[in-house]
Amino acid sequence: MLLRSTAAANMAGPLPSPSAALSHHAAAPTTIPDFPPRTTTSTLRALSDLRRGGGARFSGVGSSCQRAMQSLAPKCASVTDISVDQSMENVKLPKGDTWSIHKFGGTCVGTSERINNVADIIVGDESERKLVVVSAMSKVTDMMYDLIQKAQSRDDSYVAALDAVFEKHRLTATDLLDGDELLSFLSRLHNDISNLKAMLRAIYIAGHATESFTDFVVGHGELWSAQMLSFVIRKKGFDCRWMDTRDVLIVNPTNSNQVDPDYLESEKRLDLWFSQNEVKIIIATGFIASTPENIPTTLKRDGSDFSAAIMGALTMARQVTIWTDVNGVYSADPRKVIEAVVLKTLSYQEAWEMSYFGANVLHPRTIIPVMRYGIPIIIRNIFNLSAPGTMICQPSCDENGYDQHVETPVKGFATIDNLALVNVEGTGMAGVPGTASAIFSAVKDVGANVIMISQASSEHSVCFAVPEKEVKAVAEALQSRFREALDAGRLSQVAVIPNCSILAAVGQKMASTPGVSATLFNALAKANINVRAIAQGCSEYNVTVVVKREDCIRALRAVHSRFYFSRTTIAMGIIGPGLIGGTLLEQLRDQTAVLKEEFNIDLRVMGITSSKTMLLSELGMDLSKWKDQLAEQGEDADLQAFVQHVHGNHFIPNTVIVDCTADSYIATHYYEWLRKGIHVITPNKKANSGPLEQYLKLRALQRQSYSHYFYEATVGAGLPIISTLRGLLETGDKILNIEGIFSGTLSYIFNNFKSDRDFSEVVAEAKQAGYTEPDPRDDLSGTDVARKVIILARESGLKLELSDIPVESLVPEPLRASTSPEEYMQQLPEFDEDWAKKRQEAEDSGEVLRYVGVVDVVNQRGRVELRNYKKDHPFAQLSGSDNIISFTTSRYKEQPLIVRGPGAGAQVTAGGIFSDILRLASYLGAPS
């Protein structure tokens, strides 16, 4: 008698006695009854294999094991294997676009509610014919492997674990089904559990399970989920059958981790199955198959995806949809790159490359069956049906062969961690045939997997990456294989570089787009990432680099940001949210959206700190609320923790600290920050006017690194003083003299100190208007101007200390010791007569008083003093708080170059800082 396939047998003939099944259903849920087993073909194959593969092992285990095996054998004596040739009918499976393939993973069918959702999706698909591949319920496959492990370890708890498997499916079926469908499923579930109980007992006694026997046991989860789903769809009024793919899919095992489908034999068996089950909705088990000898096996890792792809090829379907719990394939791992985007399309080659390098896409072998026929694979999220997902297909090309729909040459990035580099190096390798063969033969002998290979064109060295857990064996094998060459000096070393990670950039259009590698490596350099090895195939589908493991996430985010978002995404930390810092934050609030939209510059404030409180953000602050958040959510200020947060987020490759204070302690950290790859922007004059040795050290580091240090606002607030001076010097001009009114406060005072006004009155007015410091003596002492002079002197190449600059103080000697600003202001009118006399002397000569700073480059000196200027001199034409600076150079000797404009006030100073931030963005690659 010929045994029909499992699915055909299921749907033909009478159901088991409802009363018998119901009595078992009502029994205690954790007790598995001795239900008379109805053994399937696959069960027979597994038993046959167990006998053949484990006969010698079982021969000495005693009569208990023999009885466990023999309890199933009599029921199978009259059953033979399926014979395709003898059973083929005229009905053949129709092929083509009428078929739509769906695959649902374990999370998709993890509960009764989710199984119902899957059924709704299937019946809602308007395709004429549908073949649905399902995995086991979530965690069930792991539970089945655990059963095997417990049984062969002779752990009695395998019985309770099997009860838990039974109970999980019984409860799910009870939620989903009722009536005859429930009784029918429970009948089959009891049958399978009884068989498994006997088989696990045999394994328990033998203390061993063959690979094929293990495959048979773990495949039951798919059998049960497929049956339940098919019953649910039938309950909704649609004709549906479930398929045990072990009766259809035939594969040839090649090693322990891979199988090759036998498409010809599988096609014959599928036609046979369809001739007996001519339906338009088929629910097929994923993951499981059979060998040509009809021994149960699995499709190994990601086997259900592979099942769906094979079915797509066998039916030549319109498309294969893989349902999962993510919105599609991301441009990078969203757990590492928060702003990774879902890709609309991927080519087969791109998906293949990304999956090889660890991206959560598909296993490379899943792509092979559908790629042969150009069948698209769509990755969709079952929990977000509105998301269109990612389509993996052959890209549409123009007449030149270029993909018409690629927006960026790099589609995605992937990483592999926990690797080590092995470097084999020596002059004796050059031009010697067979060296590489000997190296990788030794690696093969220890069973190590080579992830990447890189060789210098000089043939002086070969390096390759292997999993870190295998590197010790690899190194020892190479040392042994090349001992003679090492001793003779032909090879200099076999070196191991641990703690490495691989970063791969993947994109089919990389081959036709100049500069992709340059952009990649530039992004890594800007993020201060050192590359240890590089590999690229001639197809240019991917560029692979090896970096330190601790740099991997930052490297991934740096390159992703460069290709997918603004080329200049910058994490900012603002120190000093006072008048200047607060104004800067307001300007950033008003302009960041425009900069991102129109100029592709993405500025994100990740932290704000005052001397007492700091506010940190993971993604970037809402600058319309920062004041309230700092007051309500701020934590105790910690400068080290603040900088670590802003720079260590790894989410944004570029970091800048903006110091809006006048604090010398903050300025001492600039060198350390620059050395770590953190850019620094500041109006704080303390660093550049401090000790000469520290200044020279800071500038030397700036020139040697990719870290930028901008300080335009230290001299002229928002005026381009530093940049103008640098432009002159960099173009070869020679600076002779710099002279200017550098203080907006003192400019205001002397512009308004006219014949009808007292000096003390004007100072009080300036203080009231906010032009002066809280203590006006800080402005009138001339120290601030002296710092600006020393900064310009050092920029011009003079090696001067602040103490080398003579300063004429405008604070009368008797008032320098005043105990408070208020006392000073009360006593200042006593000196109005002296100031009136100075003003009158100037007016009598047709001149005005101006407080200036001078850099005499020719004589290598500087000074700060009160000077008289003719009324037609540019310095006499100022108004308000304007600054003016005159550059006398070799080119501008007869007519000095003059820069003039507002030199004081929060708005212009913050604007000068903002200008430096945009200058940094330009240096980092923002469009001009």
Side-chain angles (χ1 to χ4, degrees), residues 590-747:
D590 297 338
Q591 197 65 15
T592 46
V594 176
L595 289 171
K596 187 172 182 180
E597 180 71 23
E598 298 185 10
F599 300 97
N600 206 23
I601 297 172
D602 190 0
L603 304 177
R604 307 202 180 182
V605 177
M606 311 299 287
I608 300 172
T609 184
S610 66
S611 59
K612 296 181 179 180
T613 310
M614 67 179 182
L615 178 67
L616 307 177
S617 171
E618 292 296 331
L619 300 177
M621 293 182 188
D622 179 352
L623 295 182
S624 65
K625 302 176 181 177
W626 73 267
K627 286 185 180 179
D628 293 338
Q629 290 177 343
L630 182 62
E632 297 169 4
Q633 304 171 22
E635 52 191 282
D636 291 343
D638 182 330
L639 186 61
Q640 183 177 355
F642 175 82
V643 173
Q644 175 60 35
H645 172 82
V646 175
H647 182 55
N649 63 82
H650 300 307
F651 161 44
I652 300 172
N654 306 300
T655 305
V656 60
I657 297 295
V658 182
D659 174 20
C660 297
T661 72
D663 194 317
S664 57
Y665 172 73
I666 300 293
T668 61
H669 291 80
Y670 293 176
Y671 183 86
E672 174 192 352
W673 295 342
L674 291 168
R675 190 169 54 82
K676 290 181 177 179
I678 301 172
H679 310 293
V680 177
I681 293 173
T682 185
N684 188 345
K685 298 181 254 319
K686 298 298 173 63
N688 285 12
S689 62
L692 178 62
E693 182 181 357
Q694 293 183 17
Y695 167 80
L696 294 175
K697 183 180 177 183
L698 194 62
R699 290 303 307 277
L701 176 64
Q702 179 191 7
R703 286 189 291 267
Q704 293 168 5
S705 70
Y706 282 96
S707 303
H708 297 289
Y709 173 41
F710 296 146
Y711 42 86
E712 184 70 75
T714 58
V715 175
L719 296 179
I721 307 301
I722 299 292
S723 56
T724 298
L725 176 56
R726 284 193 174 178
L728 293 170
L729 292 169
E730 290 169 0
T731 58
D733 203 352
K734 184 177 181 181
I735 308 299
L736 304 177
N737 188 77
I738 303 173
E739 186 174 346
I741 298 173
F742 296 104
S743 169
T745 302
L746 296 175
S747 177

Side-chain angles (χ1 to χ4, degrees), residues 5-8 10-11 91-96 98-104 109 118-119 121-123 125 127-135 222-223 225-234 238-249 266-267 269-286 304 307-308 310-312 314-317 319-321 323:
S5 66
T6 306
N10 290 345
M11 305 313 302
V91 177
K92 282 196 172 184
L93 179 90
K95 297 183 178 181
T98 59
W99 284 101
S100 177
I101 310 296
H102 294 265
K103 178 265 175 179
F104 294 92
V109 293
V118 167
I121 291 172
I122 294 168
V123 299
D125 180 357
S127 302
E128 182 180 345
R129 293 182 173 87
K130 289 160 280 193
L131 191 151
V132 181
V133 175
V134 292
S135 300
E222 280 72 15
L223 296 173
S225 61
Q227 292 174 58
M228 283 191 289
L229 179 58
S230 68
F231 279 127
V232 171
I233 293 174
R234 290 179 62 197
F238 294 84
D239 192 13
C240 175
R241 298 288 189 277
W242 76 276
M243 173 196 294
D244 183 347
T245 49
R246 295 175 299 186
D247 296 331
V248 173
L249 293 187
S266 297
E267 184 177 21
R269 296 197 179 208
L270 181 59
D271 283 338
L272 171 63
W273 188 95
F274 189 77
S275 72
Q276 299 169 342
N277 301 272
E278 192 176 348
V279 291
K280 292 188 176 182
I281 301 179
I282 300 171
I283 309 299
T285 56
S304 293
S307 298
I310 296 170
M311 287 299 182
L314 291 175
T315 59
M316 300 189 71
Q319 67 182 35
V320 175
T321 303
W323 292 90

